[in-house]
Structure formats: C-alpha cells, structure tokens
Amino acid sequence: MQRRHLLAAAAAWGACLLPASLLAQDPASWPTRPLRMLVGSAPGGGTDAMARAVADRLAPLLKQPVLVENRPGVSNTMAVDVTAKSTDGHTMVMGVVTAHAIAPHLLKLGYDNNKDLVPVAFVGSVPNVLVVGNSVPANSVAELVALAKKQPGQINFASSGTGSTQHIAAEVFKDAAGIAITHVPYKGSAGALVDLVSGQVQMSFDTMPSVIGQIKAGKLRALAVTSPQRNPQLPQVPTMAEAGLPAVAISAWYGIYMPAATPKAVQQKLHDEVNKVLAMAETKARLEAVGAELRPMSQADFGAFHLAEYQRFGEIIRKNDIKLD
C-alpha cells in the first residue's frame, strides 16, 4: 500500500514538472492553433519534400494550418533541438535518420535524442542513389571504383552535411571498395546538387527525392541504389549489392517526432491523422513518384525501429571510424 502511495506521489510530482502548456492540451480539441512542422534541411531536399507532402494534407484533417519551417544545419539537428525544447504543444519535427540515428554518435547535442523526443508517426523511407555528373567517365560502380583507384583523392563526393546519410554511405563505400575520395559537405542537398550538375564535385549518394528529377532530366547519371531491391522509379539501376558491394546498404527514413512531454492522447491523435494522410491516393502517388516506400507502423513499432536504427548506425560509425571533420 505504501509503495502505491509513493508511486502515485511521484507521478503527481512528475506531472507538476511538465510544461503547463503541454499539460493543458485537451486531445479532443487539439490543435487549438496553427502547428509547426520543423525541417532540419533547406527547401528542395528529401526531408523537405516528405514534410510538405504530409503537411499539405494533414492541415484539413486537423482543421489548423501546418506550417513547414526550415531550420537547416548541424546534421539536421537544429530543428530537432527546437522541437525537443518546445513547450507550446503545437510543434513537431519531420525527423530523419541523419538527426536521430547518426548525429547523436558524432555530435554533442543540447538534448537527449532518446529521452527528450518521442517517435509519433513513421512516414517512409527512400534509398540513397549513387549519382555522378555527366562529365565523369564511369557508367557503372565498377568503372567508378577503377577511376577512383587511378586518381586517389581526386574524386570529390558531395553530401548534404557532415554526418548525413550521404556522408555515411560514401564513407562505407570508400571502405568497402578500398578507395580514397574526398568529402565536400554542403548545407543541404540543393547546393550540393547545383555543384554536382555543374561539375564542381563528381559524385554523391543523395536521397532519391533530391536527385530523381535531375536523373530523369539527364543531368545526372545513376549508377546504383542503396536499398535491398531496385526502386520502381529507376528499375534499370542496379542495387549496390548487385554491383558487388552489399555493405553499402544505407537508406534515409523519415518520421514525425514531438516533445516527450506531449500527452499520449495527443501523440495518438497525430499518429492516426498522419496515417490517414499516408493512405490517401494522392499522397501515395506524390511520395512514390520521388522513390519513397511508405510503411505504416504503429507508434510502438516506430519507437522500436528508432532504437534499432540508432544502434545500427552507431555500430557503422564505430566500425568505420567515422568522425566529424
């Protein structure tokens, strides 16, 4: 009996420590004002594309505007930091593998990735695509590897930032192929792709939504995808496993996170509405057109997936001795 009283008292005390604005949220009436969906990269990248596809259809269901706000920088973690510390009850972040499974192993963050945020709704995943500029004399992964071995350190690879999936995939590629290539980090995919198309850098492992347009327009050449299977948008492009490098299995995934203090019922409401959006034919067509694979998950499954990916990328980073420049 005494133990039950102590637990009840502890729970009440913990509730008192939660931000009043979060405690005041009534799931039946939430949201009561416009919501913010933060994005940790610049407009035009894969995370931005996923966020806008969801936000456009989520707003009518929630009967409030869902404003996409770009906060690029620090391996997508600036947006996560703002969300983790938010107390308004109306802020979420379109989380990405970079921020939630990679950056915590490389950066000293101002929040606890596994305690200050809660995974709410999984959106989907997209493969990274090994692309080269049209001036690069390589039409296959084998030809690119041979070229890199002839010119050690002279081939530059672009990424959307240090610690991004583009960066990690290229580092794993370097290790698996036994080559030396040089990292050129950018603040988002948009700037990286401009220089890749113009020939300032030679290659990238960018995400499908970021590069599919340039590939189909003939401005970039796709050599391989990093997913286990070929992607329907690029059926002629082999996987890295087919190219003889199965270790290069890095895909970007996306999901919505909220502050951990968000009432469970509010989390469930957002989870349910996001999954309604993902089931819409228009949303599915919009996301599948950029190579996304939609995988509905329960919130519990998303939480387990988050932890598994956090552990997997930690092992990759340690094994390949990946560090920030």
Side-chain angles (χ1 to χ4, degrees), residues 74-78 80-81 85 98-100 102-114 116-117 310:
V74 199
S75 297
N76 294 92
T77 62
M78 287 183 63
V80 183
D81 186 271
K85 297 172 181 175
T98 306
H100 298 285
I102 298 173
H105 301 288
L106 298 172
L107 297 168
K108 183 177 181 180
L109 302 174
Y111 58 91
D112 189 316
N113 177 65
N114 297 326
D116 295 339
L117 295 129
Y310 172 81

Side-chain angles (χ1 to χ4, degrees), residues 135-155:
S135 62
V136 177
N139 292 295
S140 68
V141 173
E143 290 180 4
L144 179 63
V145 170
L147 182 65
K149 288 183 176 179
K150 289 179 181 177
Q151 303 174 2
Q154 295 183 41
I155 294 179

Side-chain angles (χ1 to χ4, degrees), residues 75-243:
S75 297
N76 294 92
T77 62
M78 287 183 63
V80 183
D81 186 271
V82 173
T83 303
K85 297 172 181 175
S86 171
T87 60
D88 62 13
H90 288 72
T91 297
M92 68 190 88
V93 63
M94 178 57 76
V96 61
V97 57
T98 306
H100 298 285
I102 298 173
H105 301 288
L106 298 172
L107 297 168
K108 183 177 181 180
L109 302 174
Y111 58 91
D112 189 316
N113 177 65
N114 297 326
K115 293 182 180 179
D116 295 339
L117 295 129
V118 59
V120 174
F122 188 77
V123 174
S125 62
V126 297
N128 286 65
V129 188
L130 171 54
V131 290
V132 296
N134 288 331
S135 62
V136 177
N139 292 295
S140 68
V141 173
E143 290 180 4
L144 179 63
V145 170
L147 182 65
K149 288 183 176 179
K150 289 179 181 177
Q151 303 174 2
Q154 295 183 41
I155 294 179
N156 297 325
F157 71 90
S159 81
S160 64
T162 300
S164 62
T165 56
Q166 295 96 317
H167 179 204
I168 299 296
E171 293 289 350
V172 174
F173 175 58
K174 283 170 58 177
D175 181 64
I179 57 175
I181 52 180
T182 303
H183 183 208
V184 182
Y186 289 78
K187 292 183 177 179
S189 291
L193 292 176
V194 169
D195 282 1
L196 184 58
V197 170
S198 68
Q200 300 301 308
V201 290
Q202 288 72 51
M203 59 169 282
S204 177
F205 276 89
D206 215 325
T207 56
M208 181 78 80
S210 298
V211 296
I212 188 69
Q214 287 85 351
I215 293 170
K216 291 190 172 182
K219 295 180 179 179
L220 295 174
R221 190 161 60 253
L223 303 186
V225 294
T226 60
S227 51
Q229 296 85 30
R230 294 193 182 198
N231 191 277
Q233 292 298 317
L234 298 172
Q236 77 284 6
V237 178
T239 66
M240 290 298 297
E242 289 176 309

Side-chain angles (χ1 to χ4, degrees), residues 232-266:
Q233 292 298 317
L234 298 172
Q236 77 284 6
V237 178
T239 66
M240 290 298 297
E242 289 176 309
L245 296 171
V248 191
I250 307 293
S251 293
W253 52 259
Y254 307 87
I256 294 174
Y257 289 72
M258 297 184 81
T262 304
K264 180 64 179 177
V266 171

